[in-house]
Amino acid sequence: MQPEPFTRLEAYSLVLPQSNIDTDQIIPARFLTTTSREGLGKGAFYDWRYTGDDVPKNATPFPVEGAGERKILVAGANFGCGSSREHAPWALLDYGFRAVISSDIADIFKSNALKNGLLPVEIDRTTHAKLMEQPGIRIVIDLERCLIETEHGLRAEFAVEPFARRCLLDGVDPLGHILAQESAIAAFEDAR
Amino acid sequence: MTDAARPRSLFDKLWDAHVVVPESEDSPAILFIDLHLVHEVTSPQAFAMLEERGLAVRRPDCTQATLDHSTPTLPAGADGRLPYATEAAEKQVRQLEENCARHGIDLLGLDDPRRGIVHVVGPELGLTQPGKTIVCGDSHTSTHGAFGALAFGIGTTEVGHVLATQCVLQRKPKSMRIDFEGELAPGVGAKDMALAMIAQIGADGGQGYAVEFAGPAVEALSMEGRMTLCNMAIEAGARVGMVAPDQTTFDYIEGRERAPQGEAWDAALERWRALPSDPGAAFDREVRVDAAAIRPMITFGVSPDAAAPAGGRAPIPATAGEREAADYMRFIPDRPFAEMAVNRVFIGSCTNSRLSDLREAAEVMRGRQVAKGITALVVPGSEAVRRAAEAEGLDTVFLESGAEWRLPGCSMCIAMNGDQGAPGDLVVSTSNRNFVGRQGKGVRTVLAGPATAAACAIAGRIVDPSDYLNGEAARAA
């Protein structure tokens, strides 16, 4: 399943200042007994959003109905650490996020996010610290130029692995890319 | 110096040997995968993707499936039905059975005497071997690096890629060597090494790196200890942890069901002996850990790098994050950990559920009673571990001490099969993650090695296990 192309996103931020937000926070393991990738938004940050019995918490940064216009999650360092569950980006996308900004995003989460059109944006610590102090501001993320800009004039460049960037901008299919190398794979197997 | 003569690390050799298409500025390398391990939680959507695109599994012969995450650890009831936590969990198990049958993949099914946790059964069957590339939709795949394999966790989309092509797209990570210098003190184990290492470099200290663990304390470890250490590499942020193969490795593998036999064994040994890092091989980062200074460790926070000696005191939080973690864990700053009462103990998981782990725990628990009010769960990593443990009477030791002896599975490590703590419980656990709510909503997890966890079960509070181990030694003498 190809994600929707991602070129430019203009949206508002939702800030989680905590560091080391792990994939068990993003979606608790009890939501993983599914054979589908649909509808996981209900489990996104579930224990931050609800008490045990589906009653929304009063003090939570997360709107009950979904991210709405706050499609950009700004989070503390080492975001997405922990398990390899791709349910984490699936849940964040289904809840309504399209991008995560941090100073440092865990490897497997980053790889999973890119494959699903949730843009992981790693920026310098100074700009990151400033973004964390300004929840709800308007941010433009430009994947063509690899640049973020805020309504108050903050700017930061970011790097995205070039192939993943091409997949998002041009709709290149990574599996198709590997399948196109069938003869090289067959030759590799024969040579062993 | 020509490129061929350049000293290469174990990691370089593993990488180079599996490149189908080299990486370029535009594209990652296409890397061939020798062994793909599959379990029920991270695979259904990948199989669905194959169906959608009309693709077959390219190499069922390089694919091994098992059931571990969603499976109950209690036996079937009077009605013959296993006590699944939810209908969804049972459906997930059925789905993997169907997918494996349809695509000709060998599955260690519910009744298979070889079934167990994916990172326990791969090595047990002899499928995990030096020089292989191994992936699984599970971050603790780093475990298999203990054999000198290049093993790492992948997401479900990549599980689909490997099913369809036997390859993954990968940029070569940077390399790090972590040297454990000196010898471990008696009663200190691989889990303590892992926690001390993570405390030193941080939960993201290994991010972007493939880590080789080396040094005398690593060489002295058993294969099971090396698996524990490599298992925890991901808790330092490193997808890959590995140890150079040596005689300990070869002795473990020889004669196992799927290990090479006869002439193929001799040929394999020759290849495997060439794998260790060449003298002078370059690493992007080198770290030294003083192994002799390591004491039995526990975690006191909600990230695995919040680790300290079990016999010590809770640190005084310095940052907002540390204060938040301390509030959640309810540790009292600057008070001895020993003042913390324990509610539950879990001995198991892909980190610490192998026979040597259970022996270590049993040594502490033999002839002693689990403290009043504490639930202690011992969950072997596989059916093979269960049989071996029962053959030497470890199940009796646990049961007589008041602990529960369960069927193999991931159980309380990920707590998605119904095995979990109650809100507020302090759980001392031999698993790998102390994240908020990981072992049940509101559960406070303290990570530790098997001897420490067992000693905590007996004491009913957090303790350094040394006294219990010495006591046992004295009794035996």
Side-chain angles (χ1 to χ4, degrees):
Chain A
M1 197 169 66
Q2 271 302 103
E4 284 174 39
F6 191 119
T7 49
R8 185 177 179 280
L9 172 67
E10 184 168 355
Y12 295 87
S13 72
L14 191 153
V15 173
L16 290 184
Q18 288 84 351
S19 299
N20 299 322
I21 291 178
D22 56 75
T23 54
D24 280 88
Q25 305 312 305
I26 299 171
I27 182 164
R30 60 186 180 278
F31 293 101
L32 307 187
T33 53
T34 173
T35 53
S36 157
R37 65 172 84 192
E38 308 298 329
L40 287 164
K42 180 171 169 29
F45 284 104
Y46 187 91
D47 292 341
W48 293 48
R49 291 163 59 203
Y50 297 98
T51 62
D53 39 10
D54 275 356
V55 178
K57 286 184 178 173
N58 290 325
T60 170
F62 296 99
V64 173
E65 65 281 3
E69 289 307 305
R70 298 164 77 181
K71 295 183 200 305
I72 300 172
L73 181 61
V74 177
N78 199 24
F79 183 84
C81 60
S83 85
S84 62
R85 63 188 70 163
E86 201 158 318
H87 310 70
W90 294 337
L92 295 181
L93 282 162
D94 193 46
Y95 180 73
F97 291 120
R98 287 301 311 276
V100 178
I101 302 178
S102 178
S103 57
D104 156 21
I105 299 177
D107 286 340
I108 306 182
F109 177 85
K110 190 160 52 185
S111 160
N112 286 338
L114 285 166
K115 290 183 177 66
N116 290 278
L118 177 75
L119 189 68
V121 178
E122 289 174 307
I123 57 169
D124 67 274
R125 283 166 195 266
T126 311
T127 314
H128 177 242
K130 287 179 182 160
L131 283 184
M132 298 249 275
E133 289 164 4
Q134 303 173 47
I137 56 165
R138 199 169 76 237
I139 301 176
V140 176
I141 301 177
D142 186 336
L143 183 58
E144 295 269 12
R145 295 192 294 158
C146 285
L147 188 71
I148 69 163
E149 288 179 281
T150 74
E151 56 183 315
H152 307 308
L154 271 179
R155 286 161 66 96
E157 291 178 353
F158 61 95
V160 178
E161 195 282 307
F163 180 76
R165 178 168 169 270
R166 200 146 49 88
C167 290
L168 287 174
L169 286 174
D170 306 337
V172 173
D173 166 31
L175 177 54
H177 175 84
I178 310 177
L179 286 167
Q181 297 295 330
E182 165 57 35
S183 59
I185 300 170
F188 182 92
E189 288 173 319
D190 288 344
R192 314 195 97 206
Chain B
M1 192 182 280
T2 65
D3 218 39
R6 183 179 58 86
R8 293 189 302 162
S9 65
L10 165 64
F11 171 58
D12 291 330
K13 295 177 194 183
L14 292 167
W15 181 270
D16 293 349
H18 292 88
V19 172
V20 174
V21 178
E23 75 179 288
S24 66
E25 202 173 307
D26 289 343
S27 308
I30 295 181
L31 206 64
F32 189 80
I33 299 304
D34 295 315
L35 174 62
H36 185 195
L37 299 166
V38 173
H39 65 75
E40 72 274 25
V41 178
T42 54
S43 65
Q45 298 86 351
F47 282 107
M49 185 203 71
L50 287 194
E51 306 279 326
E52 277 166 31
R53 298 178 64 143
L55 295 166
V57 174
R58 182 184 175 88
R59 295 293 298 269
D61 60 319
C62 296
T63 312
Q64 178 66 55
T66 188
L67 295 162
D68 54 8
H69 282 66
S70 298
T71 53
T73 56
L74 287 167
D79 58 357
R81 290 176 65 87
L82 283 171
Y84 285 99
T86 58
E87 272 179 41
E90 182 165 9
K91 188 180 163 209
Q92 201 170 50
V93 166
R94 300 275 166 264
Q95 188 71 57
L96 184 59
E97 290 171 343
E98 276 176 43
N99 286 332
C100 288
R102 185 173 315 132
H103 293 280
I105 294 169
D106 186 39
L107 169 69
L108 305 176
L110 289 169
D111 298 326
D112 196 304
R114 303 167 301 165
R115 188 186 68 82
I117 303 174
V118 63
H119 308 309
V120 177
V121 298
E124 270 178 2
L125 291 173
L127 283 166
T128 300
Q129 294 166 16
K132 279 191 176 182
T133 42
I134 302 174
V135 296
C136 175
D138 193 291
S139 60
H140 291 109
T141 306
S142 59
T143 310
H144 305 265
F147 291 78
L150 175 56
F152 54 93
I154 56 176
T156 295
T157 298
E158 288 172 315
V159 169
H161 293 177
V162 180
L163 288 172
T165 68
Q166 205 56 32
C167 291
V168 284
L169 284 165
Q170 241 359 256
R171 293 266 176 204
K172 189 177 180 184
K174 292 177 287 186
S175 64
M176 186 190 306
R177 180 164 60 195
I178 300 183
D179 265 305
F180 285 85
E181 295 179 334
E183 277 180 37
L184 290 179
V188 175
K191 182 64 160 289
D192 305 311
M193 291 168 74
L195 290 173
M197 176 272 296
I198 299 165
Q200 183 176 326
I201 72 170
D204 57 357
Q207 201 161 288
Y209 290 92
V211 174
E212 178 176 346
F213 297 109
V218 173
E219 287 163 26
L221 287 175
S222 68
M223 283 319 296
E224 303 195 340
R226 293 178 189 182
M227 284 189 251
T228 300
L229 182 60
C230 290
N231 173 279
M232 297 287 286
I234 185 65
E235 308 315 330
R239 288 174 78 171
V240 172
M242 58 200 144
V243 173
D246 60 10
Q247 197 57 43
T248 305
T249 321
F250 311 144
D251 290 346
Y252 178 98
I253 299 170
E254 189 169 13
R256 291 187 183 266
E257 185 183 330
R258 303 289 294 275
Q261 316 284 342
E263 279 178 30
W265 172 256
D266 296 333
L269 273 187
E270 199 177 324
R271 285 198 311 277
W272 296 348
R273 288 199 169 112
L275 285 171
S277 296
D278 300 328
F283 292 86
D284 295 301
R285 190 179 166 199
E286 300 207 42
V287 172
R288 304 202 187 295
V289 178
D290 181 359
I294 299 173
R295 296 288 166 264
M297 300 286 284
I298 56 146
T299 61
F300 54 84
V302 296
S303 173
D305 54 1
R313 287 168 174 265
I316 299 166
T319 66
E322 287 172 11
R323 273 190 292 279
E324 208 171 307
D327 285 348
Y328 181 80
M329 292 302 292
R330 288 188 253 144
F331 278 104
I332 305 155
D334 205 30
R335 297 299 304 170
F337 290 123
E339 292 180 6
M340 294 301 296
V342 170
N343 304 103
R344 231 174 259 263
V345 169
F346 170 61
I347 295 167
S349 87
C350 60
T351 313
N352 281 127
S353 65
R354 300 177 182 86
L355 187 61
S356 62
D357 299 315
L358 302 186
R359 283 179 180 155
E360 210 177 286
E363 190 189 335
V364 171
M365 294 171 89
R366 182 171 282 120
R368 296 190 172 103
Q369 287 298 306
V370 170
K372 203 163 179 246
I374 290 185
T375 309
L377 210 62
V378 186
V379 184
S382 69
E383 289 291 349
V385 170
R386 181 164 78 103
R387 281 192 304 276
E390 290 177 357
E392 54 186 78
L394 301 187
D395 57 328
T396 313
V397 173
F398 295 128
L399 290 166
E400 285 182 356
S401 76
E404 294 181 44
W405 176 245
R406 295 287 188 93
L407 300 174
C410 301
S411 183
M412 263 188 82
C413 172
I414 187 164
M416 60 181 291
N417 76 331
D419 299 344
Q420 59 180 15
D425 274 358
L426 191 80
V427 179
V428 179
S429 178
T430 66
S431 56
N432 38 59
R433 289 185 175 139
N434 53 352
F435 300 156
V436 169
R438 167 94 175 175
Q439 297 191 294
K441 202 176 162 71
V443 170
R444 301 172 292 150
T445 299
V446 170
L447 302 176
T452 308
C456 292
I458 303 299
R461 56 191 173 83
I462 291 177
V463 286
D464 180 308
S466 306
D467 295 343
Y468 294 82
L469 292 166
N470 293 341
E472 184 56 35
R475 215 179 315 162

